Amino acid sequence: MAYSPDMELHPDARRLADQAVPRDLRTVPLDVLRTGAAVQARARGDGPSVAMIREEMVAGVPVRLYRPAAASGAAVVYFHGGGWVLGGLDSIDRTCRLLADGADLTVVNVDYRLAPEHPFPAAFDDALAVTRWAVDGGGDLGIDGARVGVAGDSAGGNLAAAVALACRSAVAAQLLVYPAVDATMSSASAQSYVEGPGLVADEMRWFYEQYAPGVPRDEWRLSPLLAPDLTGAPPALVITAEHDPLRDEGESYALALAEAGVDATSVRYQGVTHGFFGWGAVIAPGATATAQAIDWLSQRLRSGHRGHGPRSRQGVA
C-alpha cells in the first residue's frame, strides 16, 4: 500500500512526520538540500560524552574517531546515510557516541566523498580504504584487527554491506540499518511506497541517479543483494522499518546471507518510516533499535568470533 494520512505510525513517528516539510529533490538546489540535512542532524540531539573524540585524515579520507575510556580494542567503522549525496560527520555524531559509549568500542565515523561531484565508486573506495586501515590496527588507537565491524544506515548500509563482501575474511560483523542493497528497486515495498512521510521510492531512484549514473544496476557494489557469492560474509544484523521502500530488500538480503551460510538476523520495527534509527531521542523505537544494535555489536565483537551459519532469525519490534 502507498503511504496515507491514516497509516498506522507509532505516535512518536507520527509527530515527527507531521512536522516534516514537503520537498522535491529534483527541484531543490543541492546546497539547500545539504543545509537542510545539516539542520536535521542538529535536531536529533546530542549523544553521551566520550573520553576521546578527534578528527584526522585516514587514507586521504576525513574521519571522526570516538574512543571511550573503557575501550575494549574492538571497533566499528560507520558510514552515514543520505543517498550518497547528503550528510557528513555530524549526521551520525549522536549515533556514533551512543555506540562507542554503550558497547565500549572505538567508532570510526567516515566522511566519504559525496555524489554527484564524486560518483560511484568514490564512496565505496573511501569506505573500503578506511575499513582496511582499521583492520590493520587503526594507527595509534590499538584496535584489534580481528574485532572490527562495519555499520551504516541507508546508503551507508549499502557501503557497509559492500565493504563486508570486499573484506569478508577480515570484518567480524556488519550492522545494516534499512540498507539500500538492490539498485533495481524491484521489491514489493519499493514498488508500493510512493508517497507520504519519510523516504519514498522516487527519491531513492533520484539518489541512485546522482550516485551511479550509467552504472549497471546489478553491479554488486551497488546492489550487494545481487552479488554472485555471499559465502563467507560476516554475521549480520539487519534493521528495517515497516513503512520504507527499502524494507523488503533489506530483509531479502538477510535471508540471502543465511542461505549462503551466514549467521544473519533481521528485525522489522513496526509503525516507523525510513530514518527512525537516527531519531532515537524523540522516537522510542529508534532508541530501542539503537539499544539492540549496541547489544549485538558488544556480543559479536567481544572476541571476534563469527558464530556458525546458516542461522536466519527474523522478527518484529
Side-chain angles (χ1 to χ4, degrees):
M1 60 180 285
Y3 290 119
S4 65
D6 58 353
M7 179 172 290
E8 292 189 11
L9 289 177
H10 185 280
D12 294 344
R14 172 61 67 188
R15 281 193 291 272
L16 192 64
D18 288 344
Q19 298 169 13
V21 178
R23 67 180 184 183
D24 184 344
L25 298 178
R26 295 164 296 185
T27 60
V28 179
L30 187 55
D31 61 335
V32 174
L33 288 174
R34 287 175 173 164
T35 298
V39 171
Q40 277 200 336
R42 290 193 293 272
R44 294 188 185 110
D46 298 325
S49 297
V50 178
M52 186 213 79
I53 298 178
R54 75 174 192 238
E55 296 183 10
E56 63 182 66
M57 299 292 288
V58 167
V61 183
V63 302
R64 182 178 293 163
L65 306 169
Y66 307 76
R67 186 171 177 83
S72 65
V76 166
V77 184
Y78 200 107
F79 312 111
H80 66 81
W84 308 278
V85 173
L86 310 175
L89 295 176
D90 292 337
S91 303
I92 52 168
D93 184 75
R94 181 177 184 275
T95 295
C96 291
R97 288 169 178 266
L98 288 167
L99 295 180
D101 179 69
D104 292 333
L105 48 77
T106 298
V107 177
V108 185
N109 177 356
V110 183
D111 195 13
Y112 57 85
R113 287 171 290 173
L114 298 178
E117 298 93 333
H118 304 283
F120 176 90
F124 170 81
D125 290 344
D126 289 354
L128 182 62
V130 175
T131 301
R132 285 176 170 163
W133 168 84
V135 169
D136 287 341
D140 65 350
L141 294 176
I143 293 172
D144 179 353
R147 294 191 289 150
V148 173
V150 292
D153 56 275
S154 194
N158 163 276
L159 296 174
V163 167
L165 292 179
C167 299
R168 67 187 74 194
S169 64
V171 171
Q174 53 180 324
L175 168 66
L176 311 177
V177 182
Y178 29 76
V181 290
D182 182 4
T184 69
M185 296 197 65
S186 56
S187 73
S189 61
Q191 298 296 315
S192 299
Y193 287 98
V194 297
E195 59 181 327
L199 180 74
V200 295
D202 280 349
E203 289 180 325
M204 195 65 221
R205 293 188 180 94
W206 182 86
F207 283 128
Y208 275 119
E209 290 169 3
Q210 306 310 301
Y211 177 49
V215 178
R217 291 305 185 243
D218 61 353
E219 204 321 315
W220 69 268
R221 292 168 296 176
L222 195 61
S223 297
L225 178 60
L226 305 182
D229 181 14
L230 300 178
T231 58
L237 171 61
V238 182
I239 292 174
T240 63
E242 179 185 13
H243 303 302
D244 183 355
L246 303 186
R247 182 195 67 209
D248 291 350
E249 63 195 70
E251 294 170 3
S252 293
Y253 192 56
L255 181 59
L257 287 169
E259 290 174 344
V262 177
D263 189 350
T265 300
S266 69
V267 179
R268 179 190 299 182
Y269 279 78
Q270 301 290 88
V272 291
T273 62
H274 189 89
F276 83 98
F277 186 80
W279 288 95
V282 294
I283 298 180
T288 302
T290 301
Q292 180 184 29
I294 289 170
D295 181 66
W296 186 83
L297 288 170
S298 296
Q299 294 183 39
R300 283 296 170 191
L301 299 179
R302 182 172 297 126
S303 65
H305 178 59
R306 282 171 161 248
H308 300 282
R311 296 174 64 191
S312 175
R313 294 173 296 277
Q314 293 185 311
V316 296

